[in-house]
């Protein structure tokens, strides 16, 4: 009995040491922007204890109207207090959670029963700084007046330079004055101003812990120590065209002509630029709202950067709604196109050459979702998308051949892509031809997932029938996809003469071998038809497909100059669509392997590829790799991807190539442009087939991607594989 208990304890210890790394789904901070459009520029913004936000534009108070994620609000006149319309407001500040105003003659407030009313005599005043409820500083370009208990106790004129900013000091009876060329300290008690630090082109300042930080127009940030001497400069920033710096929530927030960024306590930078985050990139001011969210004032409006505690499960719910509300076209997982500057009410659901592929990925995600949750909605989503995939095979007259897409007959089809669109035998429908290998592997991946895990007899049988149909077509046509013209499509080729026509270092030889073996194994696993197993073994044993798919990924590169044009075309640089095809294929390659010996070989090939992909921190690749039983599939990076992917999936123009805070790499075959991949919410929106190191891109807010393939597939697969709890 004692020996048994010891064995059990050792077993528990052993399993805990070698168990897969997983993620417990606890709340994290999800950021997103709510944008407000201005008709006239504002120069100041504040919020009060009630959550009200006021802006100042040309002497008039403004407020926010409407506004939510993806639905911009507006900056409109604030007529809450009617008499304020007669006031020419020069500045606005917050004091003890209340709005305080400055006009040409007085400081006043509507709070405290309107009792705050303090005259000043600063001509051409431009700003004020509340030191306490009884102490204020009013200033113009060169004059400063200190007021206490409603009386002027000290007034002085700055000997030279124009005042840019005034800021209260760490001691009540001190304040800092910044001009373009000098930092001063004002001391009302001694009625003196003394110079602390000289330079040029200063634009803003803030007190950050024990350091005083000055933003320079083109030299980055100057950090001054407690003696107000230069401690160091930081020029490794997203932009050096700085305009404002603030210490908020223990972090440095910096506004520039190229967006805003924050520097956390560890020195890590988060960049907020483009219309994903800001109405425009010309940042004027940054304030912390009373609700804890950041207010970023720009030349054309205001952005509220909302920080919301959210779990991945809650994010999935958000994205499920996004997909169903505006991304399901005839059952396909589609892009919302034709947007007018990101306005989702102006778009239409467009067809794509890859409707079958993107829908395959959404379909598999919904199958995983149903297997995990048994949610009838997930089952219905699975059924509808599987029906759309099924019709790809019936919409055209070629047995077992899947169309790329289908759409109702119309001149748009003929004009947009006349070579691909064909008339269907069914009235009022056209179908898109020239189906490629990435469609095929996507289909087999999704059908295999559905057939394996969805406990619905009818749906399971439908998926198996589709596997059989496609693979029978491929086998009967000597490993080609044969189009309407009786010829192989350009990219639907797995025949040995084609595949082995490439040298071993050309990626398509390895890729096509890996994919077709995965497809045949999947077909055999579910249909039990010996022809599929026999053909797979023939390709591996007679034509070297096992050797091809095992070829080390590190040896894949550019073709020799003496190779044919196609080989050179396919190997100019790494095609990240190939990654997508490999990893979708790995599902069937590994899970449906004919025997354990092959399974171990496949695992070796998968891990060899996965190790090269690690720098991209791609959630889907890491989570698919987890099925091999590896201890850690890069789960931390996968969760990072899922958490950092933005809620806003609009194709905004994104630019990062100008940044000085990222380390660029020399040109290389894989087009890895930076040492570290940037977070998804700082990059352009892209699917899994894109290079995540691409720094610039977008299309001006003219489309919105579906989360169905980008996010929901890796999340629900992670849930199914019990990597996310």
């Amino acid at each position: 009995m004692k020996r048994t208990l010891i064995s059990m304890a050792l077993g528990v210890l052993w399993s805990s040491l070698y168990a897969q790394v997983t993620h417990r789904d606890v709340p994290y901070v999800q950021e997103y922007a709510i944008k407000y459009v201005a008709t006239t520029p504002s120069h100041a913004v504040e919020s009060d204890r009630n959550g009200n936000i006021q802006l100042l534009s040309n002497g008039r108070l403004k407020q926010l109207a409407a506004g939510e994620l993806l639905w911009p609000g507006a900056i409109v006149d604030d007529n809450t207090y009617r008499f304020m319309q007669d006031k020419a407001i020069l500045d606005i500040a917050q004091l003890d959670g209340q709005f305080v105003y400055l006009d040409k003659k007085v400081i006043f407030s509507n709070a405290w029963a309107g009792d705050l009313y303090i005259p000043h005599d600063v001509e051409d005043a431009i700003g004020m700084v509340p030191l306490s409820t009884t102490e204020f500083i009013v200033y113009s370009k060169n004059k400063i007046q200190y007021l206490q208990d409603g009386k002027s106790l000290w007034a002085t004129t700055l000997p030279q330079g124009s005042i840019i900013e005034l800021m209260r000091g760490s001691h009540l009876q001190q304040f800092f004055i910044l001009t373009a060329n000098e930092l001063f300290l004002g001391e009302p008690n001694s009625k003196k101003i003394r110079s602390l630090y000289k330079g040029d082109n200063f634009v803003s300042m803030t007190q950050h812990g024990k350091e005083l930080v000055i933003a320079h127009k083109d030299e980055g940030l100057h950090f001054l120590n407690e003696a107000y001497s230069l401690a160091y400069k930081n020029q490794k920033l997203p932009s050096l065209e700085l305009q404002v710096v603030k210490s908020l929530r223990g972090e440095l927030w910096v506004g520039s002509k190229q967006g805003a960024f924050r520097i956390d306590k560890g020195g890590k930078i988060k960049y907020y630029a483009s219309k994903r985050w800001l109405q425009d990139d010309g940042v004027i001011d940054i304030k912390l709202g009373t609700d804890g969210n950041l207010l970023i004032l720009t030349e054309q409006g205001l952005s509220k950067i909302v920080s919301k505690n959210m779990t991945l499960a809650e994010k999935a719910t958000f994205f499920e709604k996004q997909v169903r509300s505006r991304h399901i076209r005839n059952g396909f997982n589609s892009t919302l196109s034709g947007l007018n500057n990101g306005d989702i009410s102006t778009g239409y659901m467009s067809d794509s050459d890859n409707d079958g592929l993107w829908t395959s990925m959404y379909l598999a995600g919904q199958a995983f979702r149903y297997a995990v949750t048994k949610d009838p909605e997930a089952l219905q989503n699975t059924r509808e998308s599987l029906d759309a995939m099924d019709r790809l095979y019936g919409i055209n007259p070629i047995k077992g051949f899947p169309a790329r897409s289908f759409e109702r007959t119309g001149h748009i089809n003929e004009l947009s892509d006349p070579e691909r669109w064909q008339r269907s035998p069914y009235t009022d429908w056209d179908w898109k031809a020239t189906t490629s290998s990435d469609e095929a592997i996507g289909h087999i991946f999704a059908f295999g997932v559905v057939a394996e895990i969805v406990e619905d007899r009818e749906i399971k049988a439908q998926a198996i029938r589709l596997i059989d149909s496609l693979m029978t077509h491929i086998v009967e046509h000597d490993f080609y996809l044969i189009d309407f013209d009786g010829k192989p499509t350009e990219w639907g080729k797995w025949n040995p003469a084609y595949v082995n026509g490439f040298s071993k270092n050309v990626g398509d030889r390895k890729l096509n071998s890996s994919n077709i073996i995965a497809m045949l194994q999947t077909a055999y696993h579910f249909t039990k038809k010996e022809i599929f197993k026999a053909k797979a073994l023939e390709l591996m044993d007679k034509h070297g497909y096992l050797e091809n798919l095992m070829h080390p990924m590190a040896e894949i590169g550019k073709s020799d100059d003496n190779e044919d044009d196609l080989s050179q075309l396919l190997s100019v640089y790494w095609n990240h669509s190939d990654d997508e095809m490999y990893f979708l294929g790995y599902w069937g390659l590994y899970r449906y392997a004919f025997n354990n010996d092959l399974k171990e070989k496949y695992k070796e090939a998968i891990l060899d590829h996965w190790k090269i992909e690690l720098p991209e921190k791609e959630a889907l690749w890491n989570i698919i790799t987890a099925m091999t039983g590896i201890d850690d599939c890069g789960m931390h990076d996968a969760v990072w991807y899922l958490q950092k992917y933005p809620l806003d999936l609009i194709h905004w123009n994104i630019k990062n190539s100008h940044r000085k805070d990222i380390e660029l790499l020399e040109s290389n075959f894989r087009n890895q442009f930076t040492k570290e991949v940037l977070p998804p919410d700082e990059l352009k929106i892209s699917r899994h087939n894109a290079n995540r190191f691409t720094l610039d891109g977008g299309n001006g807010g003219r489309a919105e991607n579906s989360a169905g393939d980008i996010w929901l597939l890796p999340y629900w697969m992670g849930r199914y594989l019990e990597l996310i709890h």
Side-chain angles (χ1 to χ4, degrees):
M1 180 66 180
K2 184 177 181 181
R3 181 176 296 178
T4 301
L5 291 174
I6 293 173
S7 298
M8 290 174 62
L10 288 174
V12 171
L13 176 62
W14 182 266
S15 63
S16 66
L17 289 174
Y18 290 92
Q20 280 190 313
V21 174
T22 60
H23 172 71
R24 182 170 170 264
D25 190 15
V26 296
Y28 66 96
V29 177
Q30 176 71 53
E31 292 184 313
Y32 62 89
I34 302 175
K35 293 168 290 185
Y36 300 86
V37 184
T39 54
T40 58
S42 299
H43 65 83
V45 59
E46 286 290 356
S47 64
D48 71 1
R49 60 185 291 270
N50 302 312
N52 297 314
I53 295 172
Q54 285 188 331
L55 303 94
L56 191 56
S57 174
N58 297 326
R60 296 293 303 273
L61 292 175
K62 302 284 185 175
Q63 64 179 341
L64 306 181
E68 58 183 285
L69 174 63
L70 302 179
W71 296 97
I75 297 175
V76 299
D77 289 339
D78 187 345
N79 299 316
T80 309
Y81 282 85
R82 290 174 295 168
F83 84 95
M84 296 285 283
Q85 298 177 39
D86 298 328
K87 297 285 186 180
I89 308 299
L90 302 174
D91 196 14
I92 180 173
Q94 184 207 101
L95 178 62
D96 292 347
Q98 306 287 359
F99 291 127
V100 179
Y101 309 103
L102 171 74
D103 73 6
K104 292 181 179 181
K105 296 182 178 180
V106 299
I107 301 167
F108 68 100
S109 176
N110 296 318
W112 303 291
D115 193 47
L116 179 62
Y117 191 89
I118 303 173
H120 70 85
D121 54 12
V122 178
E123 292 186 10
D124 300 320
I126 60 173
M128 65 170 167
V129 177
L131 299 179
S132 71
T133 55
T134 60
E135 295 174 281
F136 292 84
I137 297 171
V138 180
Y139 62 96
S140 64
K141 283 293 184 181
N142 59 3
K143 184 177 181 180
I144 300 169
Q145 183 179 40
Y146 170 67
L147 302 161
Q148 186 179 62
D149 296 324
K151 299 178 181 180
S152 175
L153 297 187
W154 175 47
T156 187
T157 300
L158 204 65
Q160 59 184 10
S162 296
I163 297 173
I164 295 174
E165 282 185 356
L166 252 73
M167 177 182 71
R168 62 177 299 165
S170 53
H171 302 289
L172 185 61
Q173 293 296 324
Q174 289 184 339
F175 59 91
F176 295 103
I177 310 159
L178 185 70
T179 70
N181 304 311
E182 201 163 357
L183 173 69
F184 298 92
L185 180 68
E187 298 176 305
N189 281 349
S190 63
K191 298 183 179 181
K192 292 181 179 179
I193 290 177
R194 59 188 176 96
S195 175
L196 299 178
Y197 181 69
K198 293 184 179 181
D200 62 358
N201 291 323
F202 297 150
V203 294
S204 185
M205 64 176 168
T206 192
Q207 186 77 46
H208 188 58
K210 295 182 178 181
E211 297 175 316
L212 197 144
V213 184
I214 298 177
H216 191 280
K217 187 176 181 181
D218 49 29
E219 284 186 2
L221 298 172
H222 293 206
F223 290 80
L224 309 185
N225 58 27
E226 292 181 85
Y228 305 112
S229 298
L230 180 65
Y232 61 96
K233 296 180 183 179
N234 185 355
Q235 293 181 304
K236 292 184 177 180
L237 305 171
S239 172
L240 294 180
E241 298 183 65
L242 307 186
Q243 301 198 118
V244 61
V245 60
K246 293 288 178 68
S247 180
L248 305 168
R249 302 190 304 203
E251 301 171 316
L252 269 183
W253 283 79
V254 185
S256 75
K257 292 183 178 180
Q258 295 170 302
F261 52 92
R262 61 176 167 85
I263 308 174
D264 67 18
K265 295 177 182 178
K268 190 174 180 63
I269 291 176
K270 179 66 183 175
Y271 188 35
Y272 303 84
S274 83
K275 286 196 173 181
R276 177 180 299 153
W277 297 108
L278 307 175
Q279 185 60 28
D280 64 283
D281 286 343
V283 178
I284 297 171
D285 199 4
I286 304 175
K287 292 287 177 66
L288 180 64
T290 53
D291 58 2
N293 296 315
L294 269 295
L295 304 174
I296 302 182
L297 184 64
T298 65
E299 295 170 1
Q300 299 174 24
L302 178 82
S303 284
K304 180 188 291 187
I305 307 299
V306 179
S307 298
K308 180 179 179 180
N309 286 331
M310 178 180 281
T311 63
L312 290 178
E314 290 169 336
K315 192 169 185 176
T317 298
F318 174 87
F319 278 143
E320 294 287 356
K321 183 177 179 181
Q322 184 248 21
V323 175
R324 300 309 299 184
S325 64
R326 55 183 181 272
H327 289 281
I328 299 299
R329 181 189 65 85
N330 297 330
F332 292 124
N333 176 44
S334 301
T335 296
L336 191 68
S337 300
L339 306 188
N340 179 12
N341 194 29
D343 183 350
I344 57 177
S345 69
T346 63
Y348 61 87
M349 292 184 290
S350 60
D351 66 86
S352 162
D353 279 2
N354 297 111
D355 273 345
L357 176 57
W358 310 141
T359 305
S360 292
M361 299 172 80
Y362 173 66
L363 169 61
Q366 292 304 295
F368 287 127
R369 177 187 171 196
Y370 178 68
V372 169
T373 66
K374 302 304 178 187
D375 187 340
E377 181 182 86
L379 182 63
Q380 182 60 23
N381 295 346
T382 301
R383 182 178 289 110
E384 290 179 10
S385 287
L386 186 60
D387 285 345
M389 298 290 290
D390 197 339
R391 199 177 186 207
L392 289 173
Y393 292 80
I395 198 75
N396 70 79
I398 310 163
K399 185 178 180 181
F401 180 86
R404 285 184 179 271
S405 183
F406 55 79
E407 188 54 275
R408 293 193 182 277
T409 299
H411 71 281
I412 292 177
N413 301 345
E414 298 168 2
L415 292 175
S416 64
D417 201 346
E419 293 184 4
R420 284 184 169 88
W421 284 108
Q422 305 294 319
R423 287 280 187 259
S424 171
Y426 296 93
T427 303
D428 200 31
W429 288 97
D430 293 344
W431 64 279
K432 190 178 279 192
T434 72
T435 306
S436 61
S437 54
D438 52 350
E439 302 297 304
I441 191 62
H443 289 209
I444 295 300
F445 159 71
F447 299 156
V449 168
V450 172
E452 178 184 353
I453 71 175
V454 176
E455 295 301 325
D456 181 283
R457 183 178 301 178
E458 182 180 336
I459 289 176
K460 189 183 295 286
Q462 185 179 12
I464 294 172
R465 172 175 55 78
L466 290 170
I467 294 171
D468 190 10
S469 181
L470 174 56
M471 295 312 299
T472 297
H473 174 98
I474 291 172
V475 168
E476 288 182 348
H477 291 93
D478 204 15
F479 298 107
Y480 291 109
L481 275 177
I482 301 300
D483 213 338
F484 68 95
D485 57 4
K487 299 176 182 179
T489 64
E490 184 175 10
W491 301 113
K493 302 173 182 178
W494 302 271
N495 183 279
Y498 174 81
V499 172
N500 289 333
F502 298 112
S503 63
K504 291 184 178 180
N505 65 307
V506 175
D508 278 45
R509 179 166 177 159
K510 175 181 172 73
L511 172 63
N512 286 27
S513 297
S514 179
N515 274 186
I516 192 62
I517 298 303
M519 292 159 70
L520 289 167
Q521 285 187 161
T522 303
Y524 174 73
H525 181 85
F526 291 106
T527 69
K528 301 306 179 186
K529 291 185 177 180
E530 289 295 330
I531 183 65
F532 297 129
K533 183 175 184 179
K535 288 295 182 180
L537 294 175
E538 178 184 331
L539 291 175
M540 287 192 284
D541 297 339
K542 183 178 178 180
H543 298 287
Y545 277 34
L546 179 59
E547 181 183 352
N548 290 346
L549 70 86
M550 293 291 296
H551 193 73
M553 190 62 72
E555 296 181 14
I556 301 298
K558 294 184 177 181
S559 65
D560 297 332
D561 292 339
N562 61 355
E563 293 192 52
D564 60 47
D565 291 343
L566 181 59
S567 295
Q568 295 193 42
L569 173 67
L570 293 173
S571 58
V572 173
Y573 51 80
W574 182 250
N575 184 346
H576 290 265
S577 286
D578 291 355
D579 290 325
E580 187 170 70
M581 295 171 66
Y582 273 115
F583 278 93
L584 294 184
Y586 288 157
W587 183 266
L589 187 70
Y590 182 80
R591 291 178 76 87
Y592 312 135
F594 293 138
N595 55 58
N596 287 333
D597 288 341
L598 282 174
K599 199 168 194 177
E600 285 303 307
K601 290 182 182 294
Y602 298 153
K603 179 178 180 179
E604 181 183 339
I606 293 169
L607 296 184
D608 173 66
H609 186 182
W610 166 75
K611 288 174 183 176
I612 284 183
E613 296 299 325
L614 280 174
E616 292 199 15
K617 299 184 179 181
E618 230 293 353
L620 186 56
W621 307 165
N622 290 3
I623 288 171
I624 287 175
T625 301
M627 70 178 172
T628 65
I630 187 173
D631 291 343
D632 185 3
C633 68
M635 198 60 203
H636 176 79
D637 290 342
V639 171
W640 174 84
Y641 172 101
L642 292 171
Q643 290 181 343
K644 293 297 183 181
Y645 219 93
L647 298 179
D648 180 346
L649 301 187
I650 292 174
H651 289 213
W652 300 116
N653 289 339
I654 302 293
K655 186 176 181 181
N656 289 290
S657 56
H658 63 283
R659 294 172 61 170
K660 306 300 182 185
D661 61 316
I662 55 180
E663 185 175 343
L664 301 177
L665 299 181
E666 293 184 3
S667 177
N668 54 79
F669 177 68
R670 295 188 65 82
N671 279 345
Q672 182 176 339
F673 301 113
T674 57
K675 183 177 180 180
E676 296 287 336
V677 69
L678 292 173
D681 58 2
E682 295 180 27
L683 298 171
K684 71 185 183 76
I685 293 299
S686 59
R687 291 185 164 97
H688 299 289
N689 64 337
N691 180 5
R692 298 201 57 250
F693 286 95
T694 299
L695 295 174
D696 303 337
N699 74 345
R702 291 190 289 272
E704 182 194 48
N705 265 99
S706 165
D709 50 292
I710 291 176
W711 199 92
L712 291 175
L713 173 58
Y715 170 74
W716 286 115
M717 183 185 287
R719 290 283 304 274
Y720 176 76
L721 294 176
E722 298 185 344
L723 299 171
I724 301 171
H725 300 278

